Amino acid sequence: MTKKKQLIVERVIVIKIRSFITMIGFIILILLLGGCQQINKNNITNSDNKDEKIIEQAKATAIKHLKAEYELEVEITGEKKLPDYIAQKVIFEGNVVGNKEQHFSITVNYTTNETSNFGMSPELVEMIKTEGYEPFDKEKTTNR
């Protein structure tokens, strides 16, 4: 074989080896990215399950508080969990069962199970007052 043909064969072999190495590199990159995607998906799923448990526990706390404090049967119609870096709280909206005009919002700290920021519609305030409760001054509650 002549020297020229030998150089051509060597270049073809080098090109094939480089192509093979590049292809292997792309396959490894795809596998790594796919694995990271799966890990991220699992973390999101675990986080969603954790948030659902937190919301359910906080919802039970809110319903129990309103039942104990004002003897209200309520339904929760909306919830929003605040990001952990802001506060460990869930904000709920709802209404008295059977009366959508008597609506409220309440915040529950899910680490301490304490309620706060109880906001009421004027219709709910009036209903609570007719039941003998003073919603804005716990010491003036007459029905307990």
Side-chain angles (χ1 to χ4, degrees):
M1 198 182 304
T2 65
K3 204 167 192 165
K4 193 173 184 181
K5 284 185 179 180
Q6 188 177 358
L7 283 174
I8 292 173
V9 170
E10 286 175 2
R11 283 186 181 171
V12 169
I13 291 172
V14 168
I15 291 172
K16 286 185 178 183
I17 290 173
R18 284 184 183 167
S19 298
F20 181 73
I21 290 173
T22 304
M23 188 183 318
I24 295 294
F26 280 127
I27 290 171
I28 290 171
L29 182 65
I30 289 170
L31 291 174
L32 285 174
L33 291 176
C36 291
Q37 196 78 8
Q38 184 64 32
I39 290 170
N40 192 25
K41 184 178 178 182
N42 288 341
N43 287 342
I44 290 171
T45 303
N46 290 341
S47 177
D48 288 346
N49 288 341
K50 182 181 175 188
D51 286 352
E52 286 178 23
K53 289 178 184 176
I54 287 171
I55 289 171
E56 287 304 312
Q57 177 248 336
K59 184 186 291 189
T61 299
I63 292 170
K64 182 179 176 184
H65 170 77
L66 295 172
K67 178 71 173 173
E69 195 72 24
Y70 303 107
E71 296 182 28
L72 294 175
E73 294 294 330
V74 298
E75 59 186 350
I76 303 296
T77 58
E79 70 259 340
K80 176 167 177 53
K81 180 183 174 289
L82 297 177
D84 289 338
Y85 63 88
I86 294 176
Q88 287 77 35
K89 295 185 177 186
V90 182
I91 302 169
F92 293 103
E93 295 178 346
N95 55 272
V96 174
V97 174
N99 194 336
K100 295 195 184 288
E101 291 178 0
Q102 296 175 349
H103 54 90
F104 64 89
S105 66
I106 189 167
T107 303
V108 177
N109 181 320
Y110 57 82
T111 58
T112 63
N113 284 330
E114 294 177 348
T115 60
S116 61
N117 303 328
F118 181 41
M120 301 170 270
S121 67
E123 294 82 5
L124 182 54
V125 171
E126 286 304 313
M127 190 275 293
I128 288 174
K129 285 182 176 181
T130 61
E131 296 293 321
Y133 295 98
E134 180 54 49
F136 305 109
D137 188 357
K138 289 187 177 187
E139 293 180 15
K140 291 185 178 180
T141 301
T142 59
N143 203 13
R144 286 188 244 177

